[in-house]
């Protein structure tokens, strides 16, 4: 989020341009989120961060709330952390319910010309460790099939980030 706001690169991926970024974090406290973004280079004029605002993409009230923020800030990138929180109310294991939430995101993407990043948790890998990383995405396979692209980030060792595009 900070790299896009500043027009910088992150993990070897260059932002094509800078612009407003809206981060909706429904997991971290305001204090924890502030500490994290300060370490990453915030504050920045292009960065808007909200913590525990009760944004839920499955309710009319939650959709109205995010739509107001999109209309006000017109972000080029909108980040939701975590998908498990903002999809609360939808059965995350139901392809139909997950697809229904994605249809709202697709509508908002067209209307406000924003891209969405959904941050979610991974399943534990099987004991033999043999699973395609796309199948480690928590919940229904629709989380992978509905998304334009899927990246999986893991931490194989302290100080290391393994970032793989799996779709």
């Amino acid at each position: 989020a900070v790299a896009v706001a500043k027009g910088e690169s992150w993990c070897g991926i260059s932002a094509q341009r800078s612009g407003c970024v809206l981060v909706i974090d429904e997991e971290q406290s305001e204090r924890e989120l502030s500490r994290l973004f300060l370490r990453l280079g915030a504050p920045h004029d292009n960065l808007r961060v909200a913590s525990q605002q009760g944004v839920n993409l499955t309710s009319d009230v939650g959709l109205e709330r995010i739509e107001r923020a999109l209309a006000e800030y017109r972000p080029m990138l909108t980040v939701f952390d975590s998908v498990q929180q903002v999809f609360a109310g939808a059965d995350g294991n139901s392809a139909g319910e997950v697809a229904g939430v994605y249809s709202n995101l697709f509508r908002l993407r067209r209307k406000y010309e924003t891209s969405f990043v959904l941050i979610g948790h991974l399943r534990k890998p099987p004991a033999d460790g043999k699973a395609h990383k796309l199948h480690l995405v928590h919940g229904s396979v629709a989380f992978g099939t509905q998304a334009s692209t899927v990246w999986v980030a893991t931490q194989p060792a302290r100080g290391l980030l393994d970032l793989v595009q799996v779709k």
Side-chain angles (χ1 to χ4, degrees), residues 11-76:
C11 290
I13 303 167
S14 298
Q16 298 297 312
R17 60 187 170 92
S18 65
C20 183
V21 176
L22 176 62
V23 177
I24 308 290
D25 191 311
E26 291 298 319
E27 286 197 328
Q28 304 301 321
S29 68
E30 186 175 327
R31 181 177 178 200
E32 186 64 28
L33 200 56
S34 295
R35 202 167 56 100
L36 170 68
F37 276 94
L38 286 171
R39 271 195 340 246
L40 295 173
H44 192 277
D45 290 342
N46 282 340
L47 186 62
R48 304 287 182 265
V49 179
S51 173
Q52 298 180 345
Q53 298 296 304
V55 171
N56 183 312
L57 299 173
T58 65
S59 72
D60 291 340
V61 171
L63 286 168
E64 289 170 11
R65 179 175 268 164
I66 190 60
E67 195 153 358
R68 278 194 308 272
L70 293 172
E72 180 179 352
Y73 298 117
R74 293 292 189 175
M76 64 182 286

Side-chain angles (χ1 to χ4, degrees), residues 4 6 19 21 31 43 55 74 109 120 123 143 146 151 155:
V4 172
K6 292 181 170 185
V21 176
R31 181 177 178 200
V55 171
R74 293 292 189 175
R109 179 181 65 186
R123 293 185 179 133
F143 281 109
Q146 294 288 314
W151 293 78
Q155 187 176 16

Side-chain angles (χ1 to χ4, degrees), residues 75-87:
M76 64 182 286
L77 178 64
T78 304
V79 179
F80 291 111
D81 188 359
S82 78
V83 70
Q84 287 79 6
Q85 295 295 323
V86 298
F87 276 56

Side-chain angles (χ1 to χ4, degrees), residues 79-126:
V79 179
F80 291 111
D81 188 359
S82 78
V83 70
Q84 287 79 6
Q85 295 295 323
V86 298
F87 276 56
D91 180 352
N93 293 311
S94 165
E97 290 188 31
V98 170
V101 178
Y102 266 95
S103 71
N104 286 323
L105 288 173
F106 296 151
R107 178 185 61 79
L108 294 171
R109 179 181 65 186
R110 284 188 305 273
K111 184 173 181 179
Y112 295 100
E113 299 179 345
T114 188
S115 294
F116 291 103
V117 170
L118 305 175
I119 299 173
H121 302 284
L122 297 177
R123 293 185 179 133
K124 295 201 182 315

